[in-house]
């Protein structure tokens, strides 16, 4: 299985820019997707195929990368962005990263 | 508006069975692949399997971790997705989500709120 590695946690202040990384154990082309999960809620799709914004998602969110290294960027960060962010690849089976918990100071 | 609503979760003893349902509305159910995904508390989601759309014969695929124990089916007249779970183990304890699946790139564009399954004696 393709393992996706994410840093466990980040803390930023409102108005700042934050980059959340996801590294794949093998190349996944551009078949990387990002989800936001707020406490007690289901995941919500933010970005699909590395850099495409899902419907209804604010333009503050963007994605980049290909191959093994991917980044979700939020600029500027707002207090409501407090959540855990998961990456998911669909090039080799379907696997999720362990998530990055974003705290807004 | 796309809506997915899971039901059928609860407490079950090890070795037992459970069937989950997911009621779908707001889209043409037969046009879409549908997946089940689970998430143990505090952990990452795990994709369990998919049932394809009408154009692809409603065929299924499973994660090897549950293949042979879990079965996905769908009632296309009532727009309901099912997950039959047999021989349940403690490690199957999780929130179970149904998710609409975009077949071309295999991402999950809508998720239900989930239903909790606890396997314990």
């Amino acid at each position: 299985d393709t393992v996706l590695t994410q840093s466990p946690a980040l803390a930023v202040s409102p108005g700042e820019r934050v980059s959340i990384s996801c590294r794949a154990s093998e190349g996944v082309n551009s078949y990387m997707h990002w989800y936001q999960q707020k406490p007690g809620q289901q995941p919500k799709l933010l970005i699909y195929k590395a850099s495409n914004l899902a419907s209804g998602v604010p333009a503050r969110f963007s994605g980049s990368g290909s191959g093994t290294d991917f980044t979700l960027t939020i600029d500027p960060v707002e207090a409501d962005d407090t959540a855990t962010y998961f990456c998911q690849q669909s090039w080799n089976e379907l696997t999720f990263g362990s998530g990055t918990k974003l705290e807004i100071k | 508006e796309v809506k997915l609503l899971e039901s059928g979760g609860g407490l079950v003893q090890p070795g037992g069975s459970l069937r989950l349902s997911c009621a779908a509305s707001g889209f043409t159910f037969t046009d879409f692949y549908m997946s089940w995904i689970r998430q143990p508390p505090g952990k990452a989601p795990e994709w369990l399997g998919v049932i394809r759309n009408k154009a692809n014969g409603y065929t299924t695929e499973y994660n090897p971790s549950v293949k042979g124990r879990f079965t996905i089916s769908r009632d296309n007249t009532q727009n309901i997705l099912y997950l039959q779970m047999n021989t349940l183990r403690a490690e199957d304890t999780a929130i179970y989500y149904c998710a609409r699946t975009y077949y071309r790139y295999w991402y999950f564009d809508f998720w239900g709120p989930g239903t909790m399954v606890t396997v314990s004696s």
Side-chain angles (χ1 to χ4, degrees):
Chain A
D1 284 0
T2 301
V3 176
L4 303 180
T5 301
Q6 299 183 247
S7 53
L10 287 171
V12 297
S13 299
E16 293 184 343
R17 171 189 171 113
V18 64
S19 294
I20 298 170
S21 66
C22 177
R23 174 163 287 178
S25 60
E26 53 190 322
V28 297
N29 200 313
S30 60
Y31 284 63
M32 185 66 77
H33 323 294
W34 290 92
Y35 302 86
Q36 176 193 64
Q37 186 175 32
K38 296 182 178 180
Q41 296 185 17
Q42 68 269 44
K44 172 189 172 184
L45 177 69
L46 296 176
I47 300 287
Y48 63 93
K49 207 163 177 287
S51 60
N52 296 277
L53 198 65
S55 177
V57 175
R60 303 185 292 106
F61 293 88
S62 62
S64 63
S66 67
T68 60
D69 291 297
F70 297 84
T71 302
L72 171 71
T73 300
I74 312 173
D75 186 15
V77 165
E78 296 181 358
D80 188 53
D81 298 334
T82 296
T84 300
Y85 293 85
F86 292 99
C87 53
Q88 176 241 324
Q89 66 82 24
S90 55
W91 185 249
N92 303 306
E93 304 297 335
L94 298 171
T95 56
F96 288 85
S98 52
T100 296
K101 189 172 184 178
L102 180 65
E103 176 196 340
I104 311 302
K105 297 183 235 180
Chain B
E1 180 190 5
V2 172
K3 288 187 178 179
L4 300 170
L5 184 61
E6 303 89 342
S7 61
L11 176 65
V12 60
Q13 293 193 336
S17 297
L18 207 58
R19 188 177 82 158
L20 306 182
S21 301
C22 169
S25 62
F27 63 101
T28 304
F29 187 59
T30 53
D31 283 350
F32 286 87
Y33 288 27
M34 297 295 297
S35 291
W36 284 98
I37 298 162
R38 70 182 176 187
Q39 186 175 28
K43 296 191 176 180
E46 178 188 26
W47 175 77
L48 301 178
V50 68
I51 186 163
R52 292 182 175 86
N53 58 6
K54 180 178 181 179
N56 288 278
Y58 302 126
T59 54
T60 54
E61 277 190 49
Y62 297 94
N63 187 319
S65 67
V66 301
K67 192 172 183 179
R69 291 194 304 128
F70 289 11
T71 302
I72 298 174
S73 61
R74 58 195 295 167
D75 180 336
N76 297 302
T77 61
Q78 297 197 65
N79 292 353
I80 300 175
L81 176 72
Y82 296 105
L83 178 66
Q84 177 67 42
M85 304 186 291
N86 298 328
T87 320
L88 285 162
R89 309 163 181 162
E91 52 267 35
D92 295 317
T93 294
I95 299 173
Y96 283 72
Y97 299 100
C98 63
R100 197 175 80 168
T101 306
Y102 186 67
Y103 71 94
R104 190 171 176 188
Y105 302 124
W106 290 86
Y107 58 81
F108 310 107
D109 60 353
F110 288 95
W111 301 54
T115 187
M116 183 70 201
V117 172
T118 303
V119 184
S120 175
S121 54

Short mmCIF file of all heavy atoms in Angstrom, two decimals, chain B residues 36-70:
data_model
loop_
_atom_site.label_atom_id
_atom_site.label_comp_id
_atom_site.label_asym_id
_atom_site.label_seq_id
_atom_site.Cartn_x
_atom_site.Cartn_y
_atom_site.Cartn_z
N TRP B 36 -18.04 2.79 1.01
CA TRP B 36 -18.08 2.81 2.47
C TRP B 36 -16.65 3.07 2.95
O TRP B 36 -15.69 2.50 2.44
CB TRP B 36 -18.59 1.49 3.02
CG TRP B 36 -20.06 1.32 2.90
CD1 TRP B 36 -20.73 0.63 1.94
CD2 TRP B 36 -21.06 1.86 3.78
NE1 TRP B 36 -22.09 0.71 2.15
CE2 TRP B 36 -22.32 1.45 3.28
CE3 TRP B 36 -21.03 2.64 4.94
CZ2 TRP B 36 -23.53 1.80 3.89
CZ3 TRP B 36 -22.23 2.99 5.55
CH2 TRP B 36 -23.46 2.57 5.03
N ILE B 37 -16.56 3.93 3.94
CA ILE B 37 -15.29 4.32 4.55
C ILE B 37 -15.49 4.31 6.06
O ILE B 37 -16.57 4.68 6.54
CB ILE B 37 -14.89 5.74 4.09
CG1 ILE B 37 -14.69 5.77 2.58
CG2 ILE B 37 -13.63 6.22 4.81
CD1 ILE B 37 -14.71 7.17 1.98
N ARG B 38 -14.50 3.84 6.81
CA ARG B 38 -14.63 3.87 8.26
C ARG B 38 -13.49 4.64 8.89
O ARG B 38 -12.42 4.81 8.28
CB ARG B 38 -14.69 2.46 8.84
CG ARG B 38 -13.39 1.67 8.76
CD ARG B 38 -13.58 0.27 9.31
NE ARG B 38 -12.38 -0.54 9.16
CZ ARG B 38 -12.33 -1.84 9.44
NH1 ARG B 38 -13.41 -2.47 9.91
NH2 ARG B 38 -11.19 -2.50 9.29
N GLN B 39 -13.73 5.09 10.10
CA GLN B 39 -12.72 5.88 10.80
C GLN B 39 -12.77 5.56 12.29
O GLN B 39 -13.70 5.98 13.00
CB GLN B 39 -12.97 7.38 10.58
CG GLN B 39 -11.90 8.27 11.15
CD GLN B 39 -12.14 9.73 10.81
OE1 GLN B 39 -13.27 10.18 10.61
NE2 GLN B 39 -11.06 10.52 10.75
N PRO B 40 -11.80 4.80 12.79
CA PRO B 40 -11.73 4.59 14.24
C PRO B 40 -11.53 5.94 14.94
O PRO B 40 -10.91 6.84 14.38
CB PRO B 40 -10.49 3.70 14.41
CG PRO B 40 -10.29 3.07 13.07
CD PRO B 40 -10.74 4.09 12.08
N PRO B 41 -12.06 6.11 16.14
CA PRO B 41 -11.94 7.39 16.84
C PRO B 41 -10.49 7.86 16.93
O PRO B 41 -9.60 7.12 17.34
CB PRO B 41 -12.51 7.07 18.24
CG PRO B 41 -13.46 5.96 17.99
CD PRO B 41 -12.86 5.14 16.90
N GLY B 42 -10.26 9.09 16.47
CA GLY B 42 -8.94 9.68 16.54
C GLY B 42 -7.95 9.19 15.51
O GLY B 42 -6.75 9.53 15.57
N LYS B 43 -8.41 8.40 14.54
CA LYS B 43 -7.50 7.85 13.55
C LYS B 43 -7.90 8.27 12.14
O LYS B 43 -8.88 8.98 11.94
CB LYS B 43 -7.46 6.32 13.67
CG LYS B 43 -6.90 5.84 15.00
CD LYS B 43 -6.64 4.34 14.97
CE LYS B 43 -5.99 3.88 16.26
NZ LYS B 43 -5.72 2.41 16.26
N ALA B 44 -7.12 7.83 11.19
CA ALA B 44 -7.37 8.18 9.79
C ALA B 44 -8.51 7.36 9.21
O ALA B 44 -8.77 6.24 9.65
CB ALA B 44 -6.10 7.95 8.96
N PRO B 45 -9.17 7.88 8.20
CA PRO B 45 -10.18 7.07 7.51
C PRO B 45 -9.55 5.89 6.78
O PRO B 45 -8.37 5.93 6.41
CB PRO B 45 -10.79 8.07 6.51
CG PRO B 45 -10.45 9.42 7.03
CD PRO B 45 -9.13 9.25 7.69
N GLU B 46 -10.35 4.86 6.56
CA GLU B 46 -9.94 3.69 5.80
C GLU B 46 -11.05 3.35 4.80
O GLU B 46 -12.20 3.11 5.21
CB GLU B 46 -9.70 2.50 6.73
CG GLU B 46 -9.32 1.22 6.00
CD GLU B 46 -9.27 -0.01 6.90
OE1 GLU B 46 -9.97 -0.02 7.94
OE2 GLU B 46 -8.57 -0.97 6.57
N TRP B 47 -10.70 3.32 3.53
CA TRP B 47 -11.67 2.94 2.51
C TRP B 47 -11.94 1.44 2.59
O TRP B 47 -11.01 0.63 2.67
CB TRP B 47 -11.12 3.30 1.13
CG TRP B 47 -11.96 2.85 -0.02
CD1 TRP B 47 -13.11 3.42 -0.47
CD2 TRP B 47 -11.71 1.72 -0.87
NE1 TRP B 47 -13.60 2.72 -1.55
CE2 TRP B 47 -12.75 1.68 -1.83
CE3 TRP B 47 -10.72 0.76 -0.94
CZ2 TRP B 47 -12.82 0.71 -2.83
CZ3 TRP B 47 -10.77 -0.21 -1.93
CH2 TRP B 47 -11.83 -0.23 -2.86
N LEU B 48 -13.23 1.06 2.61
CA LEU B 48 -13.60 -0.34 2.74
C LEU B 48 -13.96 -1.00 1.42
O LEU B 48 -13.65 -2.19 1.20
CB LEU B 48 -14.78 -0.48 3.69
CG LEU B 48 -14.57 0.06 5.10
CD1 LEU B 48 -15.85 -0.09 5.92
CD2 LEU B 48 -13.41 -0.65 5.77
N GLY B 49 -14.62 -0.24 0.56
CA GLY B 49 -15.03 -0.84 -0.69
C GLY B 49 -15.96 0.08 -1.46
O GLY B 49 -16.40 1.11 -0.96
N VAL B 50 -16.26 -0.33 -2.67
CA VAL B 50 -17.08 0.48 -3.58
C VAL B 50 -18.03 -0.41 -4.35
O VAL B 50 -17.75 -1.60 -4.57
CB VAL B 50 -16.17 1.26 -4.56
CG1 VAL B 50 -15.48 0.30 -5.53
CG2 VAL B 50 -16.94 2.33 -5.32
N ILE B 51 -19.17 0.16 -4.71
CA ILE B 51 -20.07 -0.47 -5.67
C ILE B 51 -20.24 0.52 -6.83
O ILE B 51 -20.52 1.71 -6.61
CB ILE B 51 -21.41 -0.89 -5.05
CG1 ILE B 51 -22.25 -1.68 -6.06
CG2 ILE B 51 -22.18 0.30 -4.48
CD1 ILE B 51 -23.39 -2.47 -5.41
N ARG B 52 -20.03 0.03 -8.02
CA ARG B 52 -20.03 0.92 -9.17
C ARG B 52 -21.45 1.29 -9.59
O ARG B 52 -22.42 0.83 -9.03
CB ARG B 52 -19.26 0.27 -10.32
CG ARG B 52 -17.75 0.16 -10.02
CD ARG B 52 -16.99 -0.45 -11.19
NE ARG B 52 -15.56 -0.44 -10.96
CZ ARG B 52 -14.91 -1.40 -10.31
NH1 ARG B 52 -15.57 -2.42 -9.81
NH2 ARG B 52 -13.60 -1.31 -10.15
N ASN B 53 -21.52 2.12 -10.63
CA ASN B 53 -22.81 2.62 -11.08
C ASN B 53 -23.45 1.69 -12.10
O ASN B 53 -22.91 0.63 -12.45
CB ASN B 53 -22.65 4.04 -11.64
CG ASN B 53 -21.65 4.10 -12.79
OD1 ASN B 53 -21.16 3.07 -13.25
ND2 ASN B 53 -21.36 5.30 -13.25
N LYS B 54 -24.61 2.10 -12.59
CA LYS B 54 -25.37 1.27 -13.54
C LYS B 54 -24.56 1.01 -14.80
O LYS B 54 -24.52 -0.13 -15.28
CB LYS B 54 -26.67 1.99 -13.89
CG LYS B 54 -27.55 1.23 -14.87
CD LYS B 54 -28.85 2.00 -15.14
CE LYS B 54 -29.76 1.24 -16.09
NZ LYS B 54 -31.03 1.96 -16.35
N ALA B 55 -23.88 2.05 -15.29
CA ALA B 55 -23.11 1.91 -16.52
C ALA B 55 -21.99 0.89 -16.39
O ALA B 55 -21.52 0.35 -17.39
CB ALA B 55 -22.54 3.27 -16.91
N ASN B 56 -21.57 0.63 -15.18
CA ASN B 56 -20.49 -0.33 -14.93
C ASN B 56 -20.98 -1.56 -14.19
O ASN B 56 -20.20 -2.25 -13.51
CB ASN B 56 -19.36 0.35 -14.18
CG ASN B 56 -18.60 1.32 -15.06
OD1 ASN B 56 -17.71 0.94 -15.82
ND2 ASN B 56 -18.96 2.60 -14.98
N GLY B 57 -22.26 -1.83 -14.34
CA GLY B 57 -22.82 -3.11 -13.91
C GLY B 57 -22.93 -3.33 -12.42
O GLY B 57 -23.09 -4.47 -11.98
N TYR B 58 -22.82 -2.25 -11.63
CA TYR B 58 -22.94 -2.36 -10.16
C TYR B 58 -21.94 -3.37 -9.58
O TYR B 58 -22.23 -4.03 -8.57
CB TYR B 58 -24.36 -2.73 -9.73
CG TYR B 58 -25.43 -1.76 -10.22
CD1 TYR B 58 -26.53 -2.21 -10.95
CD2 TYR B 58 -25.33 -0.40 -9.93
CE1 TYR B 58 -27.51 -1.32 -11.38
CE2 TYR B 58 -26.31 0.49 -10.37
CZ TYR B 58 -27.40 0.03 -11.10
OH TYR B 58 -28.37 0.90 -11.52
N THR B 59 -20.80 -3.48 -10.17
CA THR B 59 -19.78 -4.39 -9.64
C THR B 59 -19.14 -3.81 -8.39
O THR B 59 -19.24 -2.60 -8.13
CB THR B 59 -18.70 -4.67 -10.69
OG1 THR B 59 -18.18 -3.41 -11.16
CG2 THR B 59 -19.27 -5.45 -11.86
N THR B 60 -18.49 -4.67 -7.62
CA THR B 60 -17.92 -4.25 -6.35
C THR B 60 -16.42 -4.51 -6.28
O THR B 60 -15.88 -5.38 -6.98
CB THR B 60 -18.59 -4.99 -5.18
OG1 THR B 60 -18.50 -6.40 -5.41
CG2 THR B 60 -20.04 -4.59 -5.02
N GLU B 61 -15.76 -3.75 -5.44
CA GLU B 61 -14.35 -3.96 -5.10
C GLU B 61 -14.21 -3.69 -3.62
O GLU B 61 -14.89 -2.82 -3.07
CB GLU B 61 -13.44 -3.00 -5.86
CG GLU B 61 -13.09 -3.42 -7.25
CD GLU B 61 -12.00 -2.56 -7.84
OE1 GLU B 61 -10.96 -2.34 -7.16
OE2 GLU B 61 -12.18 -2.08 -8.97
N TYR B 62 -13.27 -4.41 -3.00
CA TYR B 62 -13.09 -4.29 -1.55
C TYR B 62 -11.63 -4.10 -1.18
O TYR B 62 -10.72 -4.56 -1.85
CB TYR B 62 -13.60 -5.56 -0.86
CG TYR B 62 -15.08 -5.79 -1.06
CD1 TYR B 62 -15.55 -6.60 -2.09
CD2 TYR B 62 -16.01 -5.19 -0.21
CE1 TYR B 62 -16.91 -6.79 -2.28
CE2 TYR B 62 -17.37 -5.38 -0.39
CZ TYR B 62 -17.80 -6.18 -1.43
OH TYR B 62 -19.16 -6.36 -1.61
N ASN B 63 -11.44 -3.43 -0.05
CA ASN B 63 -10.14 -3.39 0.58
C ASN B 63 -9.83 -4.81 1.06
O ASN B 63 -10.69 -5.46 1.68
CB ASN B 63 -10.18 -2.42 1.76
CG ASN B 63 -8.83 -2.18 2.39
OD1 ASN B 63 -8.02 -3.08 2.56
ND2 ASN B 63 -8.58 -0.94 2.76
N PRO B 64 -8.62 -5.32 0.81
CA PRO B 64 -8.29 -6.68 1.27
C PRO B 64 -8.49 -6.87 2.77
O PRO B 64 -8.74 -8.00 3.21
CB PRO B 64 -6.81 -6.82 0.90
CG PRO B 64 -6.64 -5.92 -0.27
CD PRO B 64 -7.54 -4.74 -0.01
N SER B 65 -8.45 -5.78 3.54
CA SER B 65 -8.59 -5.91 5.00
C SER B 65 -9.98 -6.39 5.42
O SER B 65 -10.16 -6.89 6.52
CB SER B 65 -8.29 -4.57 5.67
OG SER B 65 -9.27 -3.60 5.35
N VAL B 66 -10.97 -6.23 4.54
CA VAL B 66 -12.34 -6.65 4.89
C VAL B 66 -12.95 -7.59 3.86
O VAL B 66 -14.08 -8.06 4.04
CB VAL B 66 -13.28 -5.43 5.07
CG1 VAL B 66 -12.75 -4.53 6.17
CG2 VAL B 66 -13.45 -4.67 3.76
N LYS B 67 -12.22 -7.89 2.81
CA LYS B 67 -12.75 -8.75 1.75
C LYS B 67 -13.10 -10.11 2.32
O LYS B 67 -12.31 -10.71 3.06
CB LYS B 67 -11.73 -8.88 0.62
CG LYS B 67 -12.29 -9.51 -0.63
CD LYS B 67 -11.28 -9.45 -1.77
CE LYS B 67 -11.87 -10.01 -3.03
NZ LYS B 67 -10.92 -9.95 -4.18
N GLY B 68 -14.31 -10.59 2.00
CA GLY B 68 -14.76 -11.87 2.50
C GLY B 68 -15.62 -11.76 3.75
O GLY B 68 -16.39 -12.67 4.06
N ARG B 69 -15.49 -10.66 4.49
CA ARG B 69 -16.32 -10.44 5.68
C ARG B 69 -17.39 -9.38 5.43
O ARG B 69 -18.47 -9.44 6.02
CB ARG B 69 -15.46 -10.00 6.86
CG ARG B 69 -14.54 -11.04 7.43
CD ARG B 69 -13.99 -10.62 8.79
NE ARG B 69 -13.32 -9.33 8.76
CZ ARG B 69 -13.60 -8.32 9.59
NH1 ARG B 69 -14.55 -8.43 10.49
NH2 ARG B 69 -12.92 -7.19 9.51
N PHE B 70 -17.07 -8.39 4.61
CA PHE B 70 -17.99 -7.28 4.35
C PHE B 70 -18.52 -7.38 2.92
O PHE B 70 -17.79 -7.75 2.00
CB PHE B 70 -17.29 -5.94 4.52
CG PHE B 70 -16.95 -5.58 5.95
CD1 PHE B 70 -17.04 -6.50 6.99
CD2 PHE B 70 -16.50 -4.30 6.25
CE1 PHE B 70 -16.73 -6.16 8.29
CE2 PHE B 70 -16.18 -3.94 7.55
CZ PHE B 70 -16.29 -4.87 8.57
#
